[in-house]
Amino acid sequence: MPSKDYLFVFAQAHDEFRIPELQSISELHGFTIGLSRYNDLQRVEAAVKRPFMILELEEEVHAKLLAGRCILIKAIYEFYAQGSTYNELHQANQEVRSRWERYIPNTSFKFTIIRYNHGLSQRWQRDVIESFSYMDFLGKIDLREPEIVLGCFEQYENDKRPDGTHHIDGGLHQVYFGRLVAEGTARTLIKTFDVKARNYFGNTSMEAEISLLMANQTQAAPGKLIYDPFIGTGSMAYTTAYFGAMVYGSDIDGRQMRGKGKTPGIMRAASQYGVASRIMDLCTFDVTNNPWRIGGLFDAIITDPPCNVILMGLQCCDLHCSTDGVRAGAKRLGQKKMREDRPPPQSSTPRDEPYIPPTKPYELSELVIDLILLSRYLLKPHGLLVFFLPTVTDSYEEVDIKSSLCEGMVLVANSLQDFGSWGRRLITIRKVTSDNYPPPAFEPTVSCTGDDTHIPAHKDFRGKYFQGFKAE
């Protein structure tokens, strides 16, 4: 079936996440998205910086599926024409008369005019609408419930002066025109999962929009089983379960999952969202000393390893946690240092008190390699690993991620959320092998590629953060 052009209107947030999210959801539903207008990486990177992209789909129903699930889509229009001036736009629109002439006889309609990087006056809107008079629509204008909505989108170059003020009239870069196919309804979920309105959260809880984007990257859906090995307060569990997946979670610190009260905090929040029945279980254990005795269990693994800087100014809610602005570093079972002349430790804890084993720091670059190896063991063939990785902006290189990959695991997406001197990358990796691999040994190791000379930008990230990312 030949494809048709559609105009995608995006929210002005997380531009690098747009294409990976679209591709994940289209793959989930079994169709592809054409990018023929952006036939090289540079054009794609330039296009995602703007709020409009023209992409190809085989059926209109595919546009509706994307608009109903993708968090970054505001609307999708059937594309009619574009131009750098209105004269070019109208000429191109008249050349595709066959696309819109069926609406001429008796179809109620309305126009919507939107400007990007520029103000918009009522008079200008009226002038623009009147410039389309050659379309000769005979139906009535209906501003409440029109049968079709025609959208005109003006994209201006950045109209800000260096001092922050605006030009009176910036330069028009491009104008697009089309018919509304679907509104982006998934963005309302950001408010639904707003952390501030959640029954249970901590100062390490992931913000709603990001957790929804991560859930889409895992292609969460009914019938899928997803695991979070660093579940914390459960931010990713709620969104993946909302999309229909069954979720299993674990953490080395059970207090993060439980909070205070008889009902575990994660289960209280899951009940708030109506997904408590999809939380299979919550267990306390260290991933380096895990109980998994068989692999190939999960369709996806989603997690935010405990090494990131906190991005939210939230107060803790019935949870004992620090509020210094930096998430506690990752931990694993073991002694930091063991003196040779010291006898093995023996527990003197009374029987009525739980024994708390000692822990030692878990360096981030080692954690990433171990996480990928563990995912290869636990994922089904074609399964996905989705996680956040903080990196230092100035020293980041593509090899930082590639050197952590192991045989049978390939990089699918790498999207940056930029904070200036540092950023965090949403990494998506797919298991592309059906071979059986043993569980990882969780021993200090060099990169999976065998390159022990390259130092990735995320190595000792926590220490670099406290040092202000100053060069050594």
Side-chain angles (χ1 to χ4, degrees), residues 309-322:
V309 176
I310 296 169
L311 305 176
M312 302 165 52
L314 296 176
Q315 298 297 321
C316 295
C317 177
D318 84 5
L319 181 66
H320 295 295
C321 54
S322 66

Side-chain angles (χ1 to χ4, degrees), residues 279-292:
I279 307 298
M280 293 184 61
D281 207 348
L282 302 169
C283 292
T284 302
F285 59 79
D286 173 19
V287 291
T288 66
N289 291 271
N290 63 71
W292 306 116

Side-chain angles (χ1 to χ4, degrees), residues 121-281:
S121 66
Q122 291 289 336
R123 181 176 180 180
W124 179 256
Q125 292 185 65
R126 184 176 66 251
D127 292 343
V128 169
I129 293 172
E130 290 178 354
S131 71
F132 286 92
S133 60
Y134 61 86
M135 297 181 75
D136 294 327
F137 278 14
L138 301 178
K140 67 177 182 178
I141 298 174
D142 188 344
L143 300 181
R144 292 182 178 273
E145 296 182 353
E147 294 177 77
I148 64 168
V149 176
L150 299 170
C152 190
F153 302 91
E154 300 177 6
Q155 178 182 310
Y156 286 78
E157 298 296 347
N158 195 332
D159 64 342
K160 287 187 178 180
R161 295 189 179 99
D163 61 0
T165 60
H166 292 258
H167 295 289
I168 296 176
D169 188 12
L172 179 65
H173 175 73
Q174 201 73 212
V175 57
Y176 305 89
F177 182 62
R179 175 185 64 86
L180 178 65
V181 172
E183 298 274 9
T185 57
R187 286 195 63 75
T188 60
L189 294 176
I190 298 174
K191 184 176 181 180
T192 300
F193 289 95
D194 184 5
V195 178
K196 295 179 181 179
R198 189 174 296 168
N199 288 341
Y200 178 73
F201 63 85
N203 68 343
T204 61
S205 296
M206 182 68 72
E207 59 266 40
E209 187 172 19
I210 293 296
S211 61
L212 288 162
L213 286 169
M214 293 181 73
N216 277 346
Q217 286 296 99
T218 66
Q219 301 179 17
K224 292 196 173 184
L225 179 58
I226 295 179
Y227 173 44
D228 186 345
F230 303 99
I231 195 168
T233 57
S235 295
M236 278 70 76
Y238 312 132
T239 53
T240 49
Y242 177 85
F243 290 129
M246 302 296 289
V247 181
Y248 184 94
S250 68
D251 204 293
I252 192 173
D253 187 354
R255 295 172 298 177
Q256 293 283 325
M257 297 182 288
R258 293 190 298 269
K260 297 178 181 179
K262 294 182 179 180
T263 303
I266 288 181
M267 298 308 297
R268 277 186 278 134
S271 298
Q272 176 185 357
Y273 301 124
V275 298
S277 62
R278 296 179 188 151
I279 307 298
M280 293 184 61
D281 207 348

Side-chain angles (χ1 to χ4, degrees), residues 293-313:
R293 296 297 178 263
I294 186 172
L297 295 173
F298 300 102
D299 296 283
I301 293 176
I302 181 173
T303 195
D304 179 31
C307 49
N308 287 345
V309 176
I310 296 169
L311 305 176
M312 302 165 52

